[in-house]
Structures are given as structure tokens and as C-alpha cells.
Amino acid sequence: MEHFTIATVAEKSPDFRRVLWTGEKTQLVIMTIPPGGEIGEEVHDGIDQILTFVSGTGEARVGGETRDVAQGDLVVVPAGTKHNFVNTGPNPLVLYTVYGPPEHADQVVHHTKEEADAAEAAGEDEPPTS
């Protein structure tokens, strides 16, 4: 059994992206977006995503709509939907997200967005099922 006190685990991670668990059909990832930072506009074809916000404040930009997000909020991003999440506050925006199916390499850790973008561009961040 995998067990996480997820808010505590997410709060303790300074990393932009850290994959905690990967299954055949889903993946659990924690993220910390620094003040002024963002995930970056993207679309996941064939992958649904659910994001739950642990701390900080930001904007969810999903499918042409924008909403403020804060601790306790959950946002669903259906497969094929353009989205971005931006930290609008003075503190890190901390969240955990579930992808179905997995989107990233198992157990991968990207300390910064730049590191994550470089790994994706180099094909080094592929899910185990691809």
C-alpha cells in the first residue's frame, strides 16, 4: 500500500515537479510553482488531469476560462483542453495532481520549470507506458 499525508508531503517539496507514484492507469505528482511562475500553457491529448491546491494563490486558465485558485480548490482539466496555472501570490503555489493515464517518467524529479522543459524537449520525461 502507498500512503501519503499528501498536503504535508507537497508542502515539504521545493521541487517544481516530483512524481510520487505511477500506476498503469494513473499517476500522482506534486508541484511547487514559485511566486511569479507558471506551469506553462499546455494540452494533454488523451490524458485527464485533476489538480488540488494545498497552499498559495494563483489563477487557473482552463479552456478559455480563468478562475482564482487557493488552498482547498480542485480543478479538472479534461483531455485535450488547453490549460495553464499561474502563481499570482507572494508565496509558492503548492499542489498535487493526478494524471490518467500517466504523463511523466516514473519517480522523476525536476527541480525547476526550466529543467522540466529541457527534459521534455529531450524526450527524457516519457511515461513508462509509452
Side-chain angles (χ1 to χ4, degrees), residues 5-82:
T5 305
I6 194 65
T8 302
V9 172
E11 281 284 348
K12 288 182 179 178
S13 176
D15 301 309
F16 175 74
R17 179 185 300 131
R18 177 179 293 269
V19 174
L20 292 182
W21 180 83
T22 301
E24 184 180 330
K25 299 186 187 291
T26 57
Q27 183 173 65
L28 175 63
V29 177
I30 55 177
M31 298 186 75
T32 299
I33 304 167
E38 64 182 274
I39 289 176
E41 190 172 84
E42 58 188 0
V43 174
H44 303 299
D45 291 322
I47 297 173
D48 291 323
Q49 185 176 9
I50 299 170
L51 303 94
T52 304
F53 296 85
V54 173
S55 64
T57 55
E59 279 186 355
R61 301 173 183 171
V62 179
E65 294 183 50
T66 300
R67 299 251 173 103
D68 291 335
V69 291
Q71 180 181 8
D73 288 344
L74 182 145
V75 176
V76 175
V77 180
T81 304
K82 187 185 299 185

Side-chain angles (χ1 to χ4, degrees), residues 63-122:
E65 294 183 50
T66 300
R67 299 251 173 103
D68 291 335
V69 291
Q71 180 181 8
D73 288 344
L74 182 145
V75 176
V76 175
V77 180
T81 304
K82 187 185 299 185
H83 61 281
N84 191 8
F85 295 87
V86 179
N87 184 340
T88 59
N91 299 311
L93 180 60
V94 179
L95 63 102
Y96 62 94
T97 183
V98 176
Y99 294 96
E103 168 70 2
H104 300 287
D106 189 29
Q107 301 298 311
V108 74
V109 176
H110 296 126
H111 302 290
T112 65
K113 180 178 181 342
E114 293 75 23
E115 185 179 309
D117 289 346
E120 287 178 15

